[in-house]
Amino acid sequence: MADAIETKNLTLTYGDTIIINELDLRIPKGEITVFIGGNGCGKSTLLRSIARLLKPRTGAVLLEGSAMAKMSTKDIAKRMAILPQSPLAPEGLTVMQLVKQGRYPYQTWLKQWTEEDEEKVNRALKATGIQDLKDRTVDSLSGGQRQRAWIAMTLAQDTDIILLDEPTTYLDMTHQIEILDLLFELNEKENRTIVMVLHDLNLACRYAHNIVAIKNQKIHAQGKPEHVINCNLVKNVFDMECEVTIDPLFGTPLCIPYGKGRCIIKRAEVGNG
Ligand SMILES: Nc1ncnc2c1ncn2[C@@H]1O[C@H](COP(=O)(O)OP(=O)(O)OP(=O)(O)O)[C@@H](O)[C@H]1O
Ligand SMILES: [Mg+2]
């Protein structure tokens, strides 16, 4: 299958500090790809550079085969939406105003607000369950409500590629699963390419077609969850001891971390010795 996004020899830096080094990454079209890795390994930096919010030191990002550096911002925004980590809304902005900003790439002097814009906004509000909050200001919402408002803005943009940096942060268990199910459905039914950062390895395994584990400025491993996630990877990438078993409901890898300390049943006793 064609790649939605490809990075070629991509090096990302802040000042003289290299965060991502000469990265060649391919993100398949129509799949869910999840970036995993420890705090500070460069997941957000990579995601932001894929959305062209950060200029590469060297190398390029290709969007369906074309160099993004040469595209107009509006063209990119019609094809790719990004939910950054910890986004900030201007004070006093309402949820409705925020979600409507997702339609900005479609507006021109000649073609302003249309019924289609209205429909996309309402659909996004409904999908994220925040219709009742639409007149509240974003800064008055709880962390989870605010996160859903931002997700709604990203969905209202109605792009084939959706990038999300830790979309489940602040969400309770119910809303975590609801949002991930919603992204899964957008992928299944509408063939959208989803690229997201998740910290919960078990949810990553459940929802991802493709996992990209990042460590030491590079891809440490990439592939299907069942091929990538095992005790060794978790030890190498997160420096964490764990058991990896099979999720009884989904058949995907299920990681049970125990760190270096307390573990009541010894590994040998559960057949992993
Ligand atoms: N604007 C910046 N200026 C300088 N250094 C930065 C900047 N943003 C991030 N960094 C540094 O770059 C490294 C990678 O940061 P990044 O935010 O990409 O990590 P991450 O993998 O997303 O981590 P987390 O899981 O904590 O979100 C970190 O060491 C961070 O301190
Ligand atoms: Mg991050």
Side-chain angles (χ1 to χ4, degrees), residues 95-110:
V95 169
M96 190 60 164
Q97 287 167 332
L98 176 73
V99 179
K100 277 185 162 182
Q101 286 194 0
R103 302 304 299 164
Y104 161 77
Y106 301 92
Q107 250 103 72
T108 62
W109 282 110
L110 292 172

Side-chain angles (χ1 to χ4, degrees), residues 43-44 85 165-166:
K43 303 176 296 298
S44 298
Q85 189 171 10
D165 199 343
E166 300 190 33

